[in-house]
Amino acid sequence: MASALTVLRRLYLSIYNWLVFIGWFQVLFLALKALKESGHEHVYNAVEKPLLLAQSAAVMEILHGLIGLVRSPVSSTLPQIGSRLYLTWGILWSFPEIRTHILVTSLVISWAITEIIRYSFFGMKEAFGFAPSWHLWLSRYSTFLVLYPTGISSEVGLIYFALPYIKASEKYCFRMPNKWNFSFDYFYAAILALGIYVPGSPHLYHYMLGQRKRALSKSKKE
Amino acid sequence: MKVTLVSRSGREFIKGGLELNDSATVADLQEAIHKRTKKFYPSRQRLTLPVPSGSRERPVILNYKKSLKDYCDGNENTLTIVFKDLGPQVSYRTLFFFEYLGPLILYPVFYYFPVYKYFGYEEKRVIHPVQTYALYYWCFHYFKRIMETFFIHRFSHATSPLSNVFRNCAYYWTFGSYIAYYVNHPLYTPVSDLQMKIGFGFGIVCQLANFYCHIILKNLRSPDGSGGYQIPRGFLFNIVTCANYTTEIYQWLGFNIATQTVAGYVFLVVATSIMTNWALAKHRRLKKMEGRSTPEDGLFFLHSCRTDR
């Protein structure tokens, strides 16, 4: 019975990974197409649907980790997915004024390339059972060297440039007085988010560098 | 006897090892290491017996009071010890003092100074009685904690890593400011008079009970810090393993019933989860030590005590 479950698991994960891969591939394709044909101001409109879908689908990965379907620790996937969803829904979708910014282009392209590599890697592992050739494997642990800085800078930049729109709109704010003496100010929360990026990004980058070193030294031994 | 010191990776930590008296204690060894290395004072040293590679047992930590002979099994003349640097250490008293000083000083700032002007509010006109009582309650609580740190608590030999000062101060000072901001807010909405009295009354009772728990715990240890790993008895300790944590948690509940802020309740939840972890660990430790005579977890929040309280 265990092997039937294993087959089911692999089938499900293969379908999941390849579907999301297609989503991100669409994002990259449409982004480059819009960039070439209309300019960076129109990139968001071109990619909105597949972006929202593909990025939101990542929530499934938290579930996968929790129920033990995959081995990734929830503690590392949660902040990554959290920041992605925050940018996608909390900034880009919520504040249309920021959508024409050029950093949107660098953001979606960085994200899309990273995710295309990641999902195809896992897709192949689940579907064909083996890790792809060292060439592809290397790109998984090497492209982040460029894509993390470009992606993170885009994220930080977009939050920063969206700040005036956040403050003016008063969206997602909960004010006092109320009987629970509670308040929430989305503007200050955004500033706090920026504050977290300061120690958070080098920490994450450092972690990835460590992962890369381990993975590459392991392959050297084989 | 000759003591060979190795790091956890197996490298020799002190070239040539150290030569000590046959009757030397671990404390003597620590002094010798300190003298040789200058930078590693005794509280920074973690000395353990080597564990056979592949074994998953936890290494035996050397007790500073025991003599080195007790750890030699067989060869009376040589001993290999594994050394680990714990990093710069501070005494628990220092750590606690700075943790508690923040809330004690920061909270009154929100009460007495026109802080809310900088958040865009006009200067406060009305101060509700509950806000004043909350100030007294809060400041008394942290004053009590500082007094207990210097006059009641008996600490074991242990110290805490310096990095904990930053981590713990961040926790206490941030939460202290977060709560103070809301309780003293110009748009603060007080609860009913009855609810306030129940909250503060219950809180004070729990604080007194908590103080008594600390007295009981203090009496488990002699003034030099030895003893302490015993099951506390009497008073609430007959019902729960760590009555001091239980009373502390309920004391915060009292404060929150009286002041009713989301910030206060968030703090309560976080503090409770931290203390619950400590309690479960101590409960397990005590149980292992003395068999079945520990109180079982029956009531809500039965907690173990940290080794230092």
Side-chain angles (χ1 to χ4, degrees):
Chain A
M1 262 297 97
S3 69
L5 283 174
T6 315
V7 172
L8 216 65
R9 174 187 160 275
R10 277 180 62 181
L11 191 65
Y12 166 74
L13 285 175
S14 306
I15 295 176
Y16 170 77
N17 281 299
W18 284 114
L19 273 179
V20 186
F21 165 85
I22 291 170
W24 282 108
F25 192 85
Q26 267 192 304
V27 170
L28 184 64
F29 177 76
L30 293 170
L32 293 173
K33 181 161 176 276
L35 192 62
K36 182 161 161 261
E37 291 175 359
S38 338
H40 68 86
E41 297 89 345
H42 303 270
V43 167
Y44 179 82
N45 285 332
V47 305
E48 182 175 33
K49 265 233 298 278
L51 175 69
L52 292 177
L53 258 164
Q55 192 60 272
S56 306
V59 182
M60 295 301 295
E61 284 161 52
I62 299 176
L63 205 74
H64 296 165
L66 275 176
I67 64 177
L69 208 63
V70 293
R71 257 185 324 179
S72 330
V74 180
S75 61
S76 62
T77 54
L78 208 60
Q80 164 100 341
I81 293 178
S83 69
R84 290 292 192 84
L85 291 175
Y86 174 60
L87 257 300
T88 307
W89 290 101
I91 302 288
L92 289 175
W93 181 81
S94 302
F95 301 99
E97 305 94 321
I98 201 69
R99 293 176 188 175
T100 50
H101 202 282
I102 192 165
L103 285 178
V104 175
T105 305
S106 52
L107 180 81
V108 302
I109 292 180
S110 304
W111 283 3
I113 298 178
T114 307
E115 298 307 315
I116 283 171
I117 294 174
R118 200 168 129 252
Y119 284 106
S120 61
F121 176 78
F122 286 118
M124 280 193 239
K125 254 187 98 181
E126 296 299 341
F128 308 128
F130 61 90
S133 72
W134 66 268
H135 182 72
L136 185 61
W137 201 39
L138 221 63
S139 70
R140 174 167 153 70
Y141 275 112
S142 301
T143 50
F144 87 88
L145 291 170
V146 171
L147 293 177
Y148 264 46
T150 56
I152 291 173
S153 311
S154 307
E155 290 176 31
V156 170
L158 282 172
I159 298 173
Y160 178 76
F161 290 118
L163 284 176
Y165 308 122
I166 295 175
K167 190 163 213 232
S169 80
E170 297 257 312
K171 231 177 183 180
Y172 309 132
C173 293
F174 190 77
R175 299 280 178 221
M176 277 169 76
N178 57 77
K179 78 175 212 176
W180 283 103
N181 293 306
F182 173 68
S183 73
F184 182 75
D185 189 317
Y186 199 63
F187 174 73
Y188 287 120
I191 294 187
L192 185 67
L194 285 177
I196 294 177
Y197 270 95
V198 171
S201 323
H203 178 77
L204 187 62
Y205 196 66
H206 193 73
Y207 170 75
M208 287 299 287
L209 280 174
Q211 293 288 83
R212 177 172 186 267
K213 216 197 281 185
R214 266 185 42 219
L216 292 185
S217 74
K218 205 160 65 157
S219 79
K220 272 216 182 85
K221 289 204 197 117
E222 287 168 7
Chain B
M1 73 166 74
K2 177 164 187 291
V3 179
T4 309
L5 282 155
V6 293
S7 67
R8 279 172 307 155
S9 57
R11 270 189 318 110
E12 207 183 359
F13 173 65
I14 290 185
K15 278 239 257 303
L18 290 170
E19 194 59 52
L20 279 121
N21 229 314
D22 277 1
S23 57
T25 59
V26 174
D28 295 329
L29 174 62
Q30 286 180 320
E31 274 307 317
I33 296 175
H34 181 25
K35 232 179 172 163
R36 248 311 249 293
T37 56
K38 304 271 189 302
K39 138 165 138 147
F40 298 119
Y41 43 88
S43 54
R44 249 180 109 150
Q45 305 170 17
R46 184 178 183 256
L47 304 174
T48 52
L49 290 177
V51 182
S53 71
S55 152
R56 286 166 136 261
E57 318 169 357
R58 305 189 83 219
V60 173
I61 301 183
L62 269 49
N63 183 324
Y64 75 101
K65 282 213 231 82
K66 290 184 131 162
S67 60
L68 293 174
K69 266 216 304 270
D70 295 342
Y71 291 105
C72 300
D73 56 341
N75 345 29
E76 295 294 319
N77 294 332
T78 63
L79 184 60
T80 304
I81 305 279
V82 181
F83 170 91
K84 177 184 170 185
D85 174 26
L86 294 171
Q89 301 283 304
V90 297
S91 71
Y92 268 112
R93 275 206 179 88
T94 309
L95 175 64
F96 288 174
F97 175 70
F98 283 107
E99 285 175 4
Y100 302 152
L101 192 67
L104 185 61
I105 295 187
L106 291 170
Y107 190 106
V109 169
F110 286 89
Y111 181 89
Y112 286 112
F113 292 99
V115 174
Y116 299 93
K117 198 165 58 176
Y118 300 101
F119 290 100
Y121 295 94
E122 334 165 338
E123 234 167 286
K124 211 162 57 167
R125 285 155 310 166
V126 175
I127 296 182
H128 305 278
V130 64
Q131 292 173 306
T132 309
Y133 299 141
L135 171 76
Y136 296 158
Y137 184 98
W138 176 277
C139 290
F140 169 72
H141 178 73
Y142 282 102
F143 176 72
K144 164 181 168 287
R145 286 223 207 176
I146 292 179
M147 289 295 109
E148 286 172 337
T149 300
F150 287 110
F151 300 114
I152 304 289
H153 297 322
R154 282 187 178 152
F155 299 95
S156 66
H157 203 56
T159 53
S160 190
L162 177 66
S163 55
N164 278 353
V165 174
F166 302 108
R167 182 194 69 173
N168 293 13
C169 285
Y171 169 76
Y172 277 102
W173 295 22
T174 305
F175 263 119
S177 309
Y178 186 50
I179 296 170
Y181 172 85
Y182 284 105
V183 181
N184 298 294
H185 201 281
L187 297 178
Y188 176 79
T189 308
V191 296
S192 73
D193 211 50
L194 178 64
Q195 186 173 330
M196 174 191 81
K197 289 188 174 130
I198 292 175
F200 284 136
F202 179 62
I204 290 174
V205 167
C206 291
Q207 288 209 61
L208 291 171
N210 175 265
F211 179 71
Y212 187 50
C213 287
H214 287 155
I215 300 282
I216 293 178
L217 289 172
K218 155 183 165 290
N219 291 330
L220 291 180
R221 265 188 215 277
S222 57
D224 69 2
S226 60
Y229 259 79
Q230 311 164 40
I231 299 169
R233 302 262 175 225
F235 194 49
L236 293 173
F237 289 104
N238 290 335
I239 314 173
V240 297
T241 308
C242 273
N244 53 322
Y245 289 173
T246 312
T247 48
E248 176 70 12
I249 291 165
Y250 281 122
Q251 170 279 130
W252 279 126
L253 179 61
F255 178 82
N256 281 317
I257 289 173
T259 53
Q260 196 155 300
T261 64
V262 167
Y265 277 107
V266 169
F267 176 63
L268 175 66
V269 168
V270 176
T272 301
S273 66
I274 292 174
M275 282 187 266
T276 305
N277 269 336
W278 290 339
L280 289 172
K282 176 114 179 195
H283 188 76
R284 247 179 267 132
R285 241 182 305 155
L286 287 180
K287 223 163 148 159
K288 210 161 73 161
M289 243 180 46
E290 289 197 32
R292 274 228 76 241
S293 41
T294 58
E296 285 307 324
D297 289 34
L299 283 179
F300 193 46
F301 295 135
L302 312 195
H303 296 115
S304 243
C305 329
R306 265 194 345 211
T307 55
D308 48 274
R309 282 189 216 229

